[in-house]
Amino acid sequence: LPAQGVPTFIFTQAVAATVWNVNHNLGKFPSVSVVNNNNVLMYGDTTYVDKNNLIINFSAGFSGKAYLN
C-alpha cells in the first residue's frame, strides 16, 4: 500500500504529569503511541474529546512524547 502522506503529530509533554491534554488539529481520531524521555513505550487510557483533542491518563506522572497518526 503506497504512503498516503498522512501527517504525524508529535506532542511533547515537557513537565511530568498524569494527565496529558493534547490539541492536535488533525480532524480525526488518530492512533496514539506514547514514549517517556528514555524512549520506552508507555501505556495510558486515551479519551477522544473530539476530532481535534484528546486526553491521555496515566497511573504515574512522567514527561515524554505522544505520536499521533
Side-chain angles (χ1 to χ4, degrees), residues 3-69:
Q4 300 292 315
V6 177
T8 297
F9 180 85
I10 302 172
F11 173 80
T12 301
Q13 179 68 42
V15 178
T18 57
V19 178
W20 294 13
N21 293 290
V22 182
N23 173 253
H24 54 77
N25 289 320
L26 292 173
K28 63 178 184 176
F29 301 104
S31 61
V32 180
S33 298
V34 177
V35 296
N36 66 15
N37 284 337
N38 295 319
N39 288 322
V40 174
L41 191 61
M42 304 297 285
Y43 297 94
D45 294 320
T46 301
T47 302
Y48 294 96
V49 177
D50 56 35
K51 289 184 176 182
N52 293 306
N53 298 279
L54 58 87
I55 299 168
I56 313 169
N57 289 282
F58 300 98
S59 59
F62 65 95
S63 55
K65 295 184 187 295
Y67 297 92
L68 284 61
N69 291 303

